[in-house]
Amino acid sequence: MQAALLNFTQLPSENKVLILGDMLELGASSEKEHSEIIQSIDQKKFRYIIFVGKEFGKAMNGSIPTALHFENVMKLRNWFEEQHFSDHYFLLKGSRLIGLEKLVATQ
């Protein structure tokens, strides 16, 4: 995830939306790894920072006051559908079990 974050921050755009879902395969190191990801985020580089899932919810601890948190993808999707994004770049990254692909409408 760190490599994806680094590459995404280097895009020359101010309209970047970071959406990170829980990393569910980490076992005992889950809390530590989620906290390290949050600490590594430079909030000035993103228009929105969004976390999805219980693990990120526990790890946030107010460390990024402007970040949004959703318990699950369906709650995020409700918020997402009310937004009017234009000319934005998105990074969606998380465990497959979180299901971030549900944000994208399929036809």
Side-chain angles (χ1 to χ4, degrees):
M1 190 171 286
Q2 291 287 11
L5 280 169
L6 178 61
N7 286 330
F8 192 57
T9 59
Q10 293 175 353
L11 285 175
S13 172
E14 294 181 16
N15 292 328
K16 292 183 277 194
V17 179
L18 178 63
I19 303 174
L20 300 179
D22 282 351
M23 302 173 286
L24 298 175
E25 303 84 6
L26 299 175
S29 65
S30 181
E31 186 175 339
K32 176 183 172 280
E33 295 293 331
H34 284 85
S35 293
E36 286 179 4
I37 292 293
I38 290 170
Q39 291 171 8
S40 73
I41 295 173
D42 180 353
Q43 57 190 326
K44 294 178 229 155
K45 302 243 181 207
F46 304 102
R47 178 145 189 197
Y48 288 101
I49 300 170
I50 302 168
F51 298 107
V52 182
K54 293 178 184 177
E55 295 301 316
F56 270 122
K58 289 189 286 187
M60 283 178 65
N61 221 9
S63 55
I64 302 178
T66 58
L68 301 173
H69 175 257
F70 296 90
E71 289 178 28
N72 57 53
V73 173
M74 295 317 292
K75 290 184 179 185
L76 170 58
R77 186 173 182 173
N78 292 337
W79 175 85
F80 197 81
E81 289 175 347
E82 293 176 4
Q83 307 308 306
H84 302 285
F85 291 110
S86 176
D87 299 322
H88 282 70
Y89 291 94
F90 295 86
L91 173 64
L92 283 75
K93 186 85 174 111
S95 175
R96 174 64 190 88
L97 293 173
I98 290 294
L100 291 177
E101 75 278 358
K102 294 174 187 166
L103 285 177
V104 181
T106 58
Q107 300 200 16

